Structure formats: C-alpha cells, structure tokens
Amino acid sequence: MSTAYADGGSGWRTAGTMVGIVWRTRRRGILVRVAALAAGLIGTAAAVAGLYDTPAKIRGYAEAVTSGSALAAINGRVEGIDSLGGVIQDEFGFLAAFLLPLLGIGLVAGSTRREEESGRLETVLAGRIRRYQPALAALTVATAAILGTSVLFAAGLAVTGVGMSGAILYSAALGALAFVFAGFAALCAQFVRHTRAVYTATLIVLAVAYVLRGVGDTAGDTAGNATGAWLTWLSPLGWAEKTAPFGDQRWWVLALPAVVGLACGGAAVWLAARRDVGSALLRGRAGPARAGRSRRGALGFAARLHLPAAAGWLAGGLLLAGMMGALARQFLDAMAGNPALAEVMGIDGGRPLAGFVASTQLYLAIIGAGYVVQAVGALRGEETEGRLETRLAGTLSRPRWLAAHAVAVAAGLVLIVAGSSTVLALSTTWSVGNADEFGATIAAGLAYLPAELVFAGLALALFGLWPRALALGWVGYAGTTFIALLGPGLNLAQWALDLAPTTHVGSPPLGTVDPLGLATLAGVAGALTLTGFVAFRRRDVPRT
C-alpha cells in the first residue's frame, strides 16, 4: 500500500481541504444560482396561492388542464392537481424540468472538468490532495447546495399554505432530480476532455429524458395504466413526477434518483483516481498536423468552438418542436371540448392553432436565449484558461477576435431558431392535416431573434466590462424565463411583463408583431454589443 493511502487521518483532512477549495472558488456562483432558483419557485408559489385562493378556482384550473393529455406532455401529469400544491407543481413543471438539472450540471462541470482543462487541478494535485478528492469535493459541495435549495423550497411552499409533507416531498423530488444530473455530469467529466462537451452530453440526455417523460405521460392515464406509460419510469424527470407529492405520496420513489446519482458519482470518483490528470477516457483521434484553411481563420476557429453547444441546444429545440407539433391535434381537440384550457394557456382570439404555435414558439425562444448566454460564457473560459492571450499574441486584433465569435454565436442562434421552427411547422402540419400556419410558424420563430440577441448583447457587455460577473447573464435569463412563461398566467403587472424582452415581440402568429418593438430590441442588442466591444478593447487581458 502506498504511503498516500496508508495515512487514513490525512485522507480525511485533505478531503476537507479540497471541499474548502471548491467552496471558496465557486461560492459566489453557487449562492447566486441557489438564491435565484429558490426565489423563483417561492415567488411562483406565492403568486399561484394568491391567484387560486378558493377551492372553486383550484377545481376549475384542474378541470381545464386535465381535459386531454396534451398539457401533460409539457408540464407532466400531476397527481393531486385539485390542490394548491398540485397547481404549483403544474405551473412550475416545465421550468423545474430544466432548471433543476441545469443546477446540478453547472455546479459539477465548473468544479471538475473546467478546473482540469485550465491546468489548475494539476497544481492542486501537486500537494497532498489525492486524485479522486477533487471530484468527490465537487459532488459534496454540489449536494450541499442542492440540499440547501430543497430546504428553501420546502420552507417557501409551507409559508404559502401548502401542506408540510407535500412540500417536503416535492422539494426532495426536485433536489433528487438535480442530484441525478450532478452525478451524471461528474461521470461525463471523466469521459470527455472539454467542459463544453460535458454540457453538450448532459443537455442531450436531459432532452431525451424530457421526451421520454412526455411520451409516457401522454400515453397513460392519471394512474399510468396504458401502453407506453412505462416510458415515464425511464426518465429522471418521470421519477420526480411519480413521487406524487400532492397525491398518494410515494416516498420510496426517491430511492431511484438517489441510487442512480450515487452510482454515477461513485463511478466518477473511482475513474478519477485511475486515469491520467488532463486526459479523458474518450480520447478521440489525433487531429490533423495542419488546420484546414477554414479553421486557420478567426471565424472558422470560433465556429469550431461553438459548434458542440449549438448542436446540444439544437437537439433540444428539435425534440421539443417535434413533440409539440405531433400533439397539435390533441391540443386543438382539448381546447374545443374545454374553452377553459385555452384561457389557462393564455390563448384567446378564436384562433386556437395560431395560439398553440405562439405558445410553442415562446418555449423555443427560451431555448435560443439559453444558447447565446452559454456560448458567450465560453469566451470567459478561453480567457481564464490562457488560450485568449495566445490567440491575441499574433496579428489577430481584439475586435476581430470578438467579432468572429459574435458572428459564430449569431449564426448558431439562427440555425437553432430556423431548424426548430421548420420542424415545428412540419410536425404541426402533419398533425392537424393542413398547412395554414406553415409560413407563419417559421416567421414567428424568426421574429424572436431580436429578443434573443438582447441576451447575447447583455452577455457580451458583461464580458467586456466585468467578466467575473458573467453569471448575471444567467440571472437575467432565469428572470426572463419566469416572466415569459408564468407572468401572464399569474397576472403580473404590465411593468413586470415588460422587463422580459420576449414580451415586446407580440406573441406571433396569434398576436401582431410590432416592427417598432423589434427595432427597439435590435437597437438594445446592438448597443449592448457595442459596449462589450469597446470595454473589451480597453481592459486588461486576462482579467482575473
């Protein structure tokens, strides 16, 4: 036995030291994410409690959203929806399906593969820290952050009037969901060499999990008794749903995400102790001796950098668009049989198909905005890991380098929007049997581009002015997501709705697109982008 493993007491001390290092280097981002998520859920719960303050209103909501299975594809099939907790779970269903997994993924990916990619991990391991301890410490800190988020969730739900046992089980189910993806992200970090590949792989798995849960929920009844309903049990999102916190309360289901999360995390720690630092289990082929002509240019190199992230978000957009389009007929039939469903979804004006497309395009706009925030955030990684200085050491100027990345990010956004909108148009046409909204569907997706570019401009401005505060871009994204998806249903004040750039698009094709609003959004995006360019040209590189 080596001396490193013989000293058990030293092992515990160095593990504690590593946990302290992870916490000190990541605490700001962790606290921002936990606070934003907790505030979002608690605010949603309080608004729902104020809006549905009588049993009659809750019963009316339940009758509307359970008429047909189409809405179950989006928010999940909620047991006990005729209660305040059930309404909250349904309203928060779509957001919880993405924000909680992203919490787990972000907490672990930044503390494992990113540290290794930058070379800082090798410096840490030069001391008495053992190879497996960074991965173990990242999982420990992530688990503590997830636990703290769940406790805040439970306390907030209890304050708004939800039963204590249901509040605790629902919060535990969401925490378990985040824990599964934290463990999976730690495992992915052992197989791939770059942080962006960790995000791409985990986002693709998340998209597949969402589709599996959606297909399973639309195939089954409220008891899950139908052919295809078993698919829900293959998805971590389905496990959170099957705990039924406001129905029969199946506490034992929590064991599934706990076991899978522990298995993935344990495998990640085991592999981290046995592979070379700086390497990955999937090494891939050696690159060519000379880069092709396209990659030698600034634009080609930037496109290569952002391609994996664009592919991951595009996969999510295509899956969501295809699933929603295939369910279009079910939505229309459900709204025809129960007009209250259209009211709950915010669809009026006597054009249910246009309203359905408008609602779906809003979800796709959220996906596009998420891509640009992540893509611009990758520029910070280029700077902190030392590659930016190398790139700028030659004849490449700062404006050219940043402009190349801005163009590559914008091109990726157009690809995501156009691809997802085309799939939505095709699948909707196939489902309803006519092409009346085909062109309007694609035009509606393109109309959201100025709003999505506002997020890119905000991230670029932060990168130029205050790169360490790039996490604020995600805060703005989360706030806009809450306002865009939940604000109209919760009857937020108009000034609050106006804070979200998506509000100013006009909800096409149901609503009329305001050219002045789009021009204003484009102007804001341009001003923010210009601010980022000017600030980046004047500041130090690297900025620590």
Side-chain angles (χ1 to χ4, degrees), residues 421-439:
S421 297
T422 301
V423 169
L424 177 62
L426 290 172
S427 56
T428 301
T429 299
W430 169 79
S431 179
V432 303
N434 68 67
D436 293 347
E437 299 288 346
F438 188 92

Side-chain angles (χ1 to χ4, degrees), residues 222-376:
T222 53
N225 299 320
T227 302
W230 56 272
L231 289 172
T232 303
W233 288 96
L234 298 180
S235 168
L237 303 175
W239 301 338
E241 174 186 301
K242 290 299 182 183
T243 57
F246 307 108
D248 293 338
Q249 295 194 346
R250 304 183 191 95
W251 290 84
W252 63 269
V253 179
L254 291 176
L256 293 175
V259 169
V260 172
L262 285 172
C264 290
V269 172
W270 187 82
L271 291 171
R274 287 161 177 79
R275 65 174 175 83
D276 294 335
V277 176
S279 69
L281 297 178
L282 298 178
R283 300 179 181 179
R285 297 178 299 175
R290 293 176 59 85
R293 183 176 180 181
S294 62
R295 295 186 186 176
R296 288 202 296 270
L299 182 58
F301 191 84
R304 174 69 176 174
L305 176 68
H306 297 293
L307 181 60
W313 288 94
L314 175 62
L318 294 179
L319 287 171
L320 178 64
M323 184 181 72
M324 294 296 292
L327 292 170
R329 171 50 60 190
Q330 290 192 41
F331 269 104
L332 297 183
D333 292 343
M335 284 188 280
N338 187 351
L341 174 61
E343 183 180 349
V344 169
M345 294 181 65
I347 298 174
D348 52 17
R351 298 172 58 201
L353 180 56
F356 163 78
V357 172
S359 299
T360 307
Q361 282 292 6
L362 183 58
Y363 286 100
L364 295 178
I366 296 299
I367 289 177
Y371 158 70
V372 297
V373 175
Q374 184 194 350
V376 176

Side-chain angles (χ1 to χ4, degrees), residues 157-506:
L157 289 172
V159 168
T160 57
V162 176
M164 183 58 75
S165 62
I168 293 175
L169 181 54
Y170 181 47
S171 303
L174 294 182
L177 174 62
F179 180 68
V180 168
F181 279 90
F184 183 64
L187 185 59
C188 284
Q190 312 308 314
F191 282 87
V192 297
R193 293 179 61 91
H194 301 289
T195 309
R196 58 179 181 273
V198 175
Y199 279 103
T200 301
T202 49
L203 287 175
I204 290 175
V205 170
L206 175 58
V208 172
Y210 186 78
V211 171
L212 284 174
R213 199 272 306 147
V215 173
D217 283 347
T218 53
D221 56 20
T222 53
N225 299 320
T227 302
W230 56 272
L231 289 172
T232 303
W233 288 96
L234 298 180
S235 168
L237 303 175
W239 301 338
E241 174 186 301
K242 290 299 182 183
T243 57
F246 307 108
D248 293 338
Q249 295 194 346
R250 304 183 191 95
W251 290 84
W252 63 269
V253 179
L254 291 176
L256 293 175
V259 169
V260 172
L262 285 172
C264 290
V269 172
W270 187 82
L271 291 171
R274 287 161 177 79
R275 65 174 175 83
D276 294 335
V277 176
S279 69
L281 297 178
L282 298 178
R283 300 179 181 179
R285 297 178 299 175
R290 293 176 59 85
R293 183 176 180 181
S294 62
R295 295 186 186 176
R296 288 202 296 270
L299 182 58
F301 191 84
R304 174 69 176 174
L305 176 68
H306 297 293
L307 181 60
W313 288 94
L314 175 62
L318 294 179
L319 287 171
L320 178 64
M323 184 181 72
M324 294 296 292
L327 292 170
R329 171 50 60 190
Q330 290 192 41
F331 269 104
L332 297 183
D333 292 343
M335 284 188 280
N338 187 351
L341 174 61
E343 183 180 349
V344 169
M345 294 181 65
I347 298 174
D348 52 17
R351 298 172 58 201
L353 180 56
F356 163 78
V357 172
S359 299
T360 307
Q361 282 292 6
L362 183 58
Y363 286 100
L364 295 178
I366 296 299
I367 289 177
Y371 158 70
V372 297
V373 175
Q374 184 194 350
V376 176
L379 304 185
R380 177 61 176 163
E382 292 295 294
E383 181 175 7
T384 57
E385 291 157 16
R387 291 189 290 270
L388 175 57
E389 285 182 278
T390 305
R391 293 287 294 163
L392 299 178
T395 57
L396 182 62
S397 66
R398 293 188 186 193
R400 278 188 59 205
W401 177 84
L402 191 56
H405 283 278
V407 170
V409 171
L413 174 62
V414 172
L415 176 65
I416 292 169
V417 170
S420 302
S421 297
T422 301
V423 169
L424 177 62
L426 290 172
S427 56
T428 301
T429 299
W430 169 79
S431 179
V432 303
N434 68 67
D436 293 347
E437 299 288 346
F438 188 92
T441 300
I442 296 176
L446 297 176
Y448 276 100
L449 280 174
E452 293 156 349
L453 288 174
V454 169
F455 292 94
L458 173 62
L460 282 170
L462 289 170
F463 177 69
L465 292 168
W466 191 16
R468 293 187 65 180
L470 262 175
L472 292 177
W474 284 111
V475 173
Y477 172 74
T480 295
T481 302
F482 276 106
I483 294 172
L485 299 184
L486 301 179
L490 299 178
N491 292 333
L492 294 184
Q494 187 59 45
W495 67 265
L497 296 176
D498 288 342
L499 294 176
T502 51
T503 302
H504 304 281
V505 177

